[in-house]
Amino acid sequence: MLLGCTASSVLGQTQAEDQWWAPGSGLPMPAAARYPNPYGELGILNTAGDYPTEGHAFFEPIGSNGRACVTCHQPASAMGLSTALIQQRWRASNGNDPLFAAIDGRNCPHLPANDPEAHSLLLERGLIRIFLPWPPRDPGGNAIEPEFTIEVVRDPTGCNTHPEYGLESTEPTISVYRRPRMAANLKYVTAADFGVTPFSIKDSRPASRDPETGRLVNMNMLADAREPTLRTQAISAALTHLETGGAPSDAQLAEIIDFEMQIYAAQAQHVGAGNLEEPGGPPALGPHAMLEGETGVLGNNTTRYVFPMGDAWTSLERSGDAEADAQNEFRESVQRGHDVFFFRTFWISDSMHINNIGLGNPIKRTCSTCHGMHMTGMDTANGFVDVGSTNLPWATENEQNPWTEKKPEMPLFRLSCDNAHAPHPFFGRVIYSQDPGRALITGRCNDIGSIVMQQFRGIASRAPYLTNGSAKNLRELIDFYDRRYNIRYSEQEKIDLENFLSTL
Amino acid sequence: MMKRISAIAIATFAAGGIANAEPPPESQRNFVSCPIVRDTATVPCWLSEYEGELYYLGIQTDVSADFDPPFLGHRVLVEGTVSDRPRICGGIVLDPVVIAPILDFDASCNTILPAEDRYTVPFAPRPPGPSGGRLAFQRDPAPEEVLVPPYEPREYLLHYDFDMLIMGRHAPILGDVLDYATKIGASRIEVVGSSGATLLSDGSVMAEDTSIALERANEIAEILKSGGLGELAFAAAAATGQEEPDGVEDWRSRRAVIRVMP
């Protein structure tokens, strides 16, 4: 008997309508808010209290396309952006919302407006087009000589072969498609208290620094760690996603950063587990735990834990009350799921920036080996790794065969590493990738497919998952890792793990 | 542009002006073979087979260890000394031992042996999952050094895997270089890279391409420049020649020396 059905099977994959936060709406942001999701309710805390947003740079359309930061960092999606919310917005606006702007809300700007096919990656996978210069530039704007060449193997969006937007254009550009990241709990994401050293322990290359202060940063922002600080990220995002035409003012940047640093988000109420913030409950759960948690702590140990659960849900009594017993049964499943995350070993293999950093290939470890940051499950420093989410043979894509009309959705690149450098230790000199990730910034063969880990908090509000949105729900996320590392989770372990993740 | 060698260079040094190599001392085991992982009830141990005998190389711990386990999918260069310790995981214990993955793929190196009750590693300093709160070989932080002029030149030594350039394990040393150079207001940094050669137990010599010596020096200089020392004068050079291997700790010849000048 499989104990503890999953929450999603109870509630279904629905998301309440009318949760869209429109730029310039002027709505006040409350000190504490709840937003429904398929697993219950997300909780958001604003440490500044009830917060006016009228005229605020995070909420106002400060660029030319009508978007604001909040467009892609929606409170209802845990300050990220779920496809449920995207699709709701498409329906409500007939595809005219600024979210669907040509610049990056379409698969490519040359495609027709208001055509769902032209926005398919955003509508179906929640992906925003990220366009980067090729070859990459160093912080001074100088071209970096890459260790590999890029060939477009497959271009379903037409962007990478387009004469104006592609790799052969006058300003050679590569387009990859990535999920917006969560703009909350950022005190953790930006903490540089543990493992941040002048030279990265992953490859001894100089770590990024704050261009203003010279201080080291942890390189945990964005999928490719290309922006070192919230300030540079805000400027870059304004110039590209918001099409501001120039950097926001210092006052606007300060407003954006202050707001981002005062927002905490986590699941607060759960359809199966009930109130996640009740006194005596697991100390890791709920948005208040995120507010109060300590930053820069390595949690891959039994003194601090990544997600400290205590023992409140380890073994619960049954009262005979069906509803209470069902909740207790579910809570025990959540605790078991935590233990799967923390203690269930498997062989981690062929993962660049994990297996090659002195740990060996393979290494027998657990999820928390890589997802080790206390309270978030990110890395504590330099969190880019290749788990195969975008590199073949592991990256998910529609199969091609005579019996399906489905076509591949993601671009595919063939990256050929030159002979002047050591080959990639796990994939050799020719690597196929949907998104070369960090390598598009460094030009280094070993970085192909390395993507910065994301935090787990508020995960129930922001499906789909992985940087390319290929896991439509938590079960698919678990299944991806199960396939990738041949973990061979039992059905019960998968259920428990999903239940655990959905409480974060 | 760097030149890399992608194949193992096996050579005898007779043609290169170096005397014919005698086999290493009897106690040495220097060979290239597939690594083998043996699972245990705790952490896996790493083994390798040479001439029909199984040798124990080390166990999985964490990034604090001196022993970096090898890679399946690649053969490994083993340079070790046969110890009189009891066998571990079925293998004769090599101690000390230094290993280096070989760049070229070898799909035949894919053996993971299952755990057996008779093979245990009770000395493992950390389990295969979360630690108990300390790294396996956590060192106490060194006391803050008080530097008083006149400052002395200081040397830092990096050792390399075979045919390899900079690796993650070099990061702390480079950090020390940066720290010292910054604190004393260094004027100049000199880097001398070396290529290495290892005398294998079968009497052959496995040598790196000598061009890697300068590559190592140049790479370190570039990393230090972009890592915060860009204002300093740098001199990068290759060591003259290649040390003659004698089969004992030949891995030391694969190195670079960084000299920080006041």
Side-chain angles (χ1 to χ4, degrees), chain A residues 33-37 40-44 75-78 265-269 458 461:
Chain A
R34 297 285 184 99
Y35 295 91
N37 61 37
E41 288 180 348
L42 172 83
I44 289 192
S77 292
Q267 192 76 359
Q269 183 76 27
S461 289

Side-chain angles (χ1 to χ4, degrees), chain B residues 134-187:
Chain B
R134 286 176 64 88
L135 292 170
F137 302 97
Q138 189 162 307
R139 284 90 173 170
D140 293 329
E144 184 71 23
E145 186 179 16
V146 178
L147 295 168
V148 180
Y151 303 117
E152 297 292 322
R154 193 172 281 188
E155 285 189 354
Y156 299 84
L157 183 60
L158 278 66
H159 288 113
Y160 289 85
D161 283 358
F162 192 88
D163 259 0
M164 285 297 290
L165 294 174
I166 204 81
M167 301 175 68
R169 69 164 183 258
H170 296 132
I173 302 170
L174 297 178
D176 289 345
V177 171
L178 175 64
D179 185 53
Y180 185 66
T182 304
K183 283 179 176 170
I184 70 167
S187 64

Side-chain angles (χ1 to χ4, degrees), chain A residues 67 72 99 104-105 122 126-130 176-178 180 241:
Chain A
R67 286 177 175 167
C72 289
L99 170 63
D104 54 11
L122 180 55
L127 301 177
I128 294 289
R129 186 176 74 100
I130 305 296
V176 291
Y177 300 83
R178 296 174 180 163
H241 306 310

